[in-house]
Amino acid sequence: MEHYSSSSSSPSSSSESPALATAAATDTNSMAETTSSPASVSAVRRALLLVQSDDLDSKLEGAREIRRLTKTSQRCRRLLSDSVAPLTSMLRVRDSPEANESALLALLNLAVRDEMNKAKIVEAGALKPIISFLTSENSNLQEYATASLLTLSASANNKPIIGASSAIPLLVETLRHGSSQAKIDAVMALSNLSTYPQNLSIILEMKPIASIVDLLISCKKSSKTAEKCCALIESLVGFDEGRTALTSEDGGVLAVVEVLENGSLQSREHAVGTLLTMCQSDRCTYREPILKEGVIPGLLELTVQGTPKSQTKAQTLLQLLRDSPYPRSELQPDTLENIVCNIISQIDGEEQSSKAKKMLADMVQVSMEQSLRHLQQRALVCTPSDLPISSSCTSEVSSK
């Protein structure tokens, strides 16, 4: 997963800034011991006094110390919550990028995995200056501001507040034109915000699909970035405008199919959910665009190896993708094999058809092996212990 090179790293959840993840390897036990020592308590008090000073140089020193102390220590984040107000005032210092950056980084570390600090930062009025930095010509300020919004948007209470501000349009603009890291943090922040329904309609109005697809195409399909891109796309294709935008975008559906094939388990769940939503909304319109991108092998794999939700969605989508979505006659029972065979017979493209047929054969083999294993286990339970069991059969089953 992509990271900042900044030394400001702190531990974070998947919905918070990826820039903060590199410190997770730090020995947090030893850190916990030092933060409970008299020297560390003294350091916390000193940092608070410095940041509350009227002298800018002292404030800068205090902000840097707060950033250091809160890097990996949850206890320090709690003890230093009173620094939120003076740090927020530093965000408003004009013509001092150094003060702005130091305050942003300190607030960023204070907010990580601390719901109270997240709320306190927004309540202190930090949101307005943070959002203003999204349009800054200073790339560091823009990146830190985007990461801050990502972390703050992880709080359910902050989502409607951030959505009601001017943040969403500027985050979409950052997704279009920001640095590589800013784009990643922007899409993750938008994904966080999209779980609040009113925010989703605002995101949709900004027409972000093209930029999300660009990022999805360029990133590693197993990355957290791909997961958040797909989660956001899955939400957006619940609207007609989102579905139209995805199919109109060159490589849009293909990018989702590639995640379905190569993404993490959660990413693949979002990817199949995206395609299923499209096909369920208008099968006639979206069946062909989905089929032509070679989705069948990935769907077959998902029916066996996906999460329970992915397996169900993949089987439902396979039924919708065949020539008729309705059950066949008794002569052609509605089994997965028959559904897939029906689809394969219609696929244009020898390579995709051949791959799908091989995967189907493999699935049947796996199914037979599972049935054999099940029968063997039943035989072991039901057979008296004094009766011999074929060693060859037992060996074959147990080696699978």
Side-chain angles (χ1 to χ4, degrees):
M1 182 175 173
E2 302 83 350
H3 303 298
Y4 282 124
S5 59
S6 168
S7 60
S8 64
S9 306
S10 294
S12 67
S13 69
S14 62
S15 59
E16 296 185 3
S17 174
L20 308 174
T22 53
T26 303
D27 187 348
T28 54
N29 289 330
S30 61
M31 179 64 75
E33 291 172 8
T34 59
T35 54
S36 62
S37 69
S40 292
V41 172
S42 175
V44 166
R45 289 173 180 165
R46 180 175 180 274
L48 277 171
L49 287 173
L50 285 169
V51 81
Q52 291 167 345
S53 168
D54 292 331
D55 178 67
L56 184 56
D57 288 338
S58 296
K59 283 181 176 289
L60 282 168
E61 185 181 351
R64 294 189 191 104
E65 188 67 4
I66 290 167
R67 173 188 171 192
R68 183 186 70 81
L69 289 168
T70 56
K71 183 176 179 180
T72 55
S73 171
Q74 185 61 39
R75 185 169 184 269
C76 279
R77 293 181 194 125
R78 287 282 78 243
L79 292 173
L80 286 163
S81 63
D82 286 342
S83 67
V84 167
L87 286 169
T88 298
S89 71
M90 290 177 67
L91 297 178
R92 302 190 184 97
V93 176
R94 293 179 178 273
D95 302 320
S96 180
E98 187 179 11
N100 301 152
E101 288 180 23
S102 296
L104 264 178
L105 290 169
L107 288 169
L108 192 54
N109 280 4
L110 279 166
V112 173
R113 292 180 179 170
D114 193 307
E115 290 300 304
M116 291 179 67
N117 281 348
K118 285 185 179 74
K120 198 166 186 176
I121 289 167
V122 171
E123 290 166 3
L127 203 54
K128 186 174 181 180
I130 289 174
I131 291 171
S132 73
F133 294 143
L134 291 177
T135 58
S136 173
E137 293 181 1
N138 183 319
S139 60
N140 284 339
L141 274 177
Q142 188 184 83
E143 286 191 4
Y144 300 156
T146 310
S148 297
L149 286 170
L150 165 54
T151 299
L152 293 173
S153 66
S155 169
N157 292 330
N158 285 343
K159 294 181 189 207
I161 301 171
I162 297 173
S165 70
S166 58
I168 288 177
L170 291 176
L171 283 170
V172 174
E173 192 64 18
T174 301
L175 179 58
R176 290 192 181 109
H177 304 298
S179 66
S180 297
Q181 186 61 55
K183 288 180 178 181
I184 291 167
D185 284 355
V187 81
M188 290 190 172
L190 289 168
S191 180
N192 283 348
L193 292 169
S194 71
T195 61
Y196 184 71
Q198 285 88 328
N199 289 342
L200 189 57
S201 59
I202 301 172
I203 295 170
L204 189 66
E205 288 173 8
M206 300 311 301
K207 304 185 185 305
I209 291 283
S211 300
I212 301 171
V213 168
D214 285 344
L215 183 57
L216 184 57
I217 289 172
S218 66
C219 74
K220 189 175 180 180
K221 300 303 179 285
S222 59
S223 67
K224 181 62 69 174
T225 303
E227 179 184 321
K228 293 297 182 179
C229 284
C230 268
L232 189 50
I233 290 173
E234 183 181 14
S235 297
L236 293 171
V237 297
F239 301 84
D240 185 55
E241 304 97 299
R243 295 188 290 273
T244 301
L246 182 63
T247 50
S248 300
E249 190 62 31
D250 187 30
V253 176
L254 177 59
V256 174
V257 170
E258 288 176 344
V259 173
L260 186 146
E261 292 177 333
N262 302 308
S264 65
L265 285 174
Q266 194 59 48
S267 297
R268 298 176 81 185
E269 190 173 301
H270 289 307
V272 71
T274 296
L275 301 177
L276 179 58
T277 297
M278 294 172 66
C279 215
Q280 285 178 325
S281 69
D282 188 342
R283 178 179 173 275
C284 293
T285 299
Y286 298 112
R287 177 177 175 270
E288 287 302 323
I290 292 172
L291 271 178
K292 78 174 186 178
E293 300 299 355
V295 72
I296 301 303
L299 287 177
L300 285 173
E301 189 175 333
L302 269 189
T303 62
V304 177
Q305 298 180 350
T307 64
K309 284 185 179 179
S310 295
Q311 291 178 358
T312 300
K313 289 178 179 179
Q315 291 181 18
T316 303
L317 182 54
L318 282 167
Q319 290 177 340
L320 288 170
L321 289 175
R322 67 181 177 183
D323 188 35
S324 169
Y326 305 107
R328 314 294 279 182
S329 68
E330 292 183 4
L331 295 176
Q332 272 190 303
D334 204 24
T335 63
L336 182 60
E337 288 83 1
N338 281 338
I339 291 170
V340 176
C341 286
N342 176 262
I343 298 173
I344 292 173
S345 68
Q346 307 159 50
I347 292 176
D348 291 328
E350 185 175 337
E351 182 179 351
Q352 185 191 163
S353 179
S354 174
K355 187 176 180 181
K357 287 177 180 177
K358 183 181 184 304
M359 291 194 72
L360 181 58
D362 290 343
M363 283 178 62
V364 172
Q365 179 65 26
V366 169
S367 178
M368 290 174 63
E369 289 170 355
Q370 289 174 340
S371 297
L372 178 61
R373 188 179 296 111
H374 179 64
L375 289 171
Q376 182 65 28
Q377 288 170 344
R378 288 186 63 185
L380 287 169
V381 172
C382 300
T383 303
S385 57
D386 57 334
L387 293 180
I389 297 176
S390 169
S391 60
S392 61
C393 183
T394 304
S395 173
E396 181 181 351
V397 173
S398 61
S399 67
K400 297 297 181 184

